[in-house]
Amino acid sequence: LFADRIMTKSRDTQIHKLVNKLINTERTQLLKSILEPLKPVEIANILLQLKLKQQLVLLENLDRETSSEVLNNLQDSPSILGDIVEQISTDRLSNAIEDMPQDDAADFVGLLDDEKAEALLEELPEKDREELTNLLQYDEESAGGLMTPYVVAIRRDQTVARAIKEIQKFVKKEGFELFYTAYVVDDHDHLIGTIGTTELLLAERHKLIENLMNPEVVAVDQDLDQEEVARIAQEYDLVVVPVIDKHLRLIGRITLDDLVDVIVDEYNED
């Protein structure tokens, strides 16, 4: 393992030197071919070793989606990200924000100064702007600050057939990622249970959700500190944690990647 780390570090140094040289000699096509197979986190690590002018050239030679992911990976280096953001047009930043998960986008906007953040929000489509504005009201170290508002919810009085259609409609509209649990709500959006996707797909289509759901559901309040959220997730072996507001309404979910980030940060602090 130690040898592998040395090899990885050596490889990163070599790529950094090569990228640096290609930027300085304006060999953009070769630069793109070098960057194309790399993961966004690897490109972000290379970018951290470059000067500002070179960082901007590198970003200009990435496609929109990759550029967004690279900027997202720079959130742990706010001073460097801040310098880069100052040089990028609001239009390009809004494109990057649109391609980020909503919780990451809110964190990103939260790092900007008020003037830049306001200008950026104005460039976003109304739906994205409203969702981000709503997320920004939460403390960034609270459950609300960690959550994404995209969550699969079905009604207790729906049949299995109707619930599956609702989920399909939601996924097509939002481009939702892989999930294993659907949350059950009542007519007032109160979280009252869960049902696994496998169980849902195998159930008879005429059965009601309320007769299949598990009423024992663990959720966290929107204002709960992130470290306590991580503790609860570990205690109950949860990979996704639903978030509720003061009225017990389902408002979002916290995913495994964000939970891991909290656990790692807490470990580093200790």
Side-chain angles (χ1 to χ4, degrees):
L1 180 60
F2 181 67
D4 289 342
R5 286 179 178 174
I6 293 177
M7 290 178 65
T8 299
K9 185 175 182 180
S10 175
R11 171 178 172 271
D12 288 347
T13 301
Q14 290 174 356
I15 294 177
H16 157 244
K17 289 181 178 179
L18 178 58
V19 167
N20 188 45
K21 184 175 181 179
L22 293 176
I23 291 175
N24 291 336
T25 55
E26 299 183 356
R27 300 168 71 181
T28 55
Q29 288 303 120
L30 186 52
L31 174 64
K32 289 179 180 179
S33 67
I34 294 295
L35 295 174
E36 186 177 5
L38 300 180
K39 298 177 181 178
V41 66
E42 294 175 317
I43 298 175
N45 287 335
I46 292 171
L47 188 144
L48 289 173
Q49 303 175 66
L50 300 173
K51 294 180 179 179
L52 178 59
K53 184 178 179 180
Q54 296 166 321
Q55 292 172 339
L56 296 173
V57 173
L58 185 151
L59 288 169
E60 288 171 0
N61 283 280
L62 301 175
D63 60 64
R64 171 172 161 168
E65 182 179 352
T66 304
S67 178
S68 174
E69 291 185 55
V70 169
L71 287 172
N72 195 15
N73 274 285
L74 293 177
Q75 290 198 46
D76 289 335
S77 303
S79 61
I80 293 176
L81 179 60
D83 291 339
I84 292 173
V85 165
E86 285 299 317
Q87 303 299 319
I88 298 178
S89 69
T90 303
D91 184 56
R92 279 189 63 193
L93 280 179
S94 67
N95 289 337
I97 289 293
E98 286 184 57
D99 291 339
M100 290 181 190
Q102 286 287 54
D103 52 338
D104 290 337
D107 291 340
F108 187 91
V109 174
L111 292 173
L112 307 178
D113 61 62
D114 291 344
E115 184 178 348
K116 193 84 173 181
E118 186 175 343
L120 179 56
L121 289 172
E122 286 298 320
E123 290 288 326
L124 296 175
E126 183 177 356
K127 180 175 179 290
D128 291 339
R129 183 168 63 251
E130 289 179 354
E131 289 176 345
L132 273 182
T133 301
N134 184 53
L135 287 176
L136 286 167
Q137 71 177 309
Y138 300 110
D139 187 304
E140 64 178 346
E141 295 189 353
S142 70
L146 280 179
M147 75 176 184
T148 173
Y150 295 137
V151 58
V152 175
I154 54 181
R155 304 282 178 187
R156 66 183 302 170
D157 57 356
Q158 288 178 331
T159 63
V160 169
R162 180 62 182 171
I164 290 175
K165 285 184 178 180
E166 287 293 321
I167 292 175
Q168 290 173 333
K169 181 180 178 181
F170 182 90
V171 170
K172 286 179 181 178
K173 179 182 178 183
E174 304 294 351
F176 205 75
E177 63 217 51
L178 184 67
F179 65 96
Y180 302 98
T181 302
Y183 297 105
V184 183
V185 297
D186 62 17
D187 292 337
H188 302 288
D189 291 327
H190 298 136
L191 178 60
I192 58 173
T194 63
I195 182 169
T197 52
T198 300
E199 183 181 1
L200 185 64
L201 291 172
L202 294 177
E204 295 179 30
R205 294 300 189 260
H206 67 277
K207 289 196 172 183
L208 292 176
I209 295 298
E210 64 182 344
N211 294 328
L212 298 171
M213 71 177 191
N214 177 8
E216 297 181 7
V217 56
V218 177
V220 296
D221 181 83
Q222 61 188 17
D223 295 322
L224 190 66
D225 183 84
Q226 62 179 10
E227 292 185 5
E228 184 63 16
V229 173
R231 187 195 65 76
I232 290 172
Q234 290 177 294
E235 180 179 346
Y236 291 94
D237 198 24
L238 302 173
V239 295
V240 179
V241 181
V243 182
I244 55 177
D245 65 12
K246 298 300 183 183
H247 304 288
L248 307 183
R249 294 176 300 202
L250 179 66
I251 58 173
R253 65 191 177 95
I254 300 170
T255 53
L256 180 61
D257 58 332
D258 290 315
L259 291 170
V260 170
D261 288 343
V262 172
I263 293 170
V264 171
D265 288 343
E266 183 181 0
Y267 175 81
N268 289 336
E269 287 176 5
D270 294 341

